[in-house]
Amino acid sequence: MVCIYCGNKTQIINSRLQRRINNTWRRRQCKECEAIFTTIEAPDLLLGIVVAKGKAIEPFSRDNLFLSLYDCLKHRKAAQQDATSLTDTIIGKLYSHIDVGVVSRADIIKTAKLALKRFDKVAEVHYAAFHTIKTAI
């Protein structure tokens, strides 16, 4: 990585894994100007693909997940913060469901329902009313 101040190479002087949110925190130091700064590295689900509604595929959208959770949590005072935290938690749990860059819509719904059930039962019922897993018969 290059220095954000002078553009020269940097070295890692400290690194920590953040298990709950699946990120890596790193302290870096520039070899030239000796400036120290912090970076946070996270896996990118935007490259993941969601198999939705039959065989159709679409890119994973963190925003869609956030908005669906926010809609269910509107009755709470801190709905935006709660939806943001739950979105991060659900995405962290989805990494175990990704198979060759693909996660199914059903896995997203199941994971979201479980997280909402543990957090707020009213929100879980609201989410379940609008997000169903359709099975082929």
Side-chain angles (χ1 to χ4, degrees), residues 49-121:
I49 295 175
V50 178
V51 177
K53 299 176 185 165
K55 297 284 182 180
I57 60 172
E58 58 190 42
F60 176 81
S61 172
R62 182 189 188 286
D63 295 338
N64 286 348
L65 178 60
F66 170 80
L67 289 173
S68 65
L69 293 172
Y70 178 73
D71 189 44
C72 298
L73 295 166
K74 282 183 180 176
H75 66 280
R76 299 180 62 88
K77 287 183 182 179
Q80 184 176 359
Q81 292 85 354
D82 293 342
T84 301
S85 298
L86 279 169
T87 301
D88 293 339
T89 300
I90 292 166
I91 289 173
K93 292 187 181 296
L94 283 175
Y95 290 119
S96 64
H97 295 284
I98 295 175
D99 183 31
V100 192
V102 177
V103 62
S104 71
R105 181 176 182 271
D107 286 337
I108 295 170
I109 292 171
K110 286 178 191 174
T111 306
K113 281 184 180 180
L114 182 61
L116 283 168
K117 183 177 183 179
R118 292 178 178 167
F119 184 72
D120 185 330
K121 296 212 185 253

Side-chain angles (χ1 to χ4, degrees), residues 19-34:
R19 291 185 185 163
R20 190 177 71 80
I21 55 175
N22 207 17
N23 290 345
T24 303
W25 174 91
R26 296 190 197 280
R27 177 80 66 198
R28 296 178 180 270
Q29 185 173 20
C30 179
K31 293 181 178 180
E32 286 294 316
C33 70
E34 297 184 1

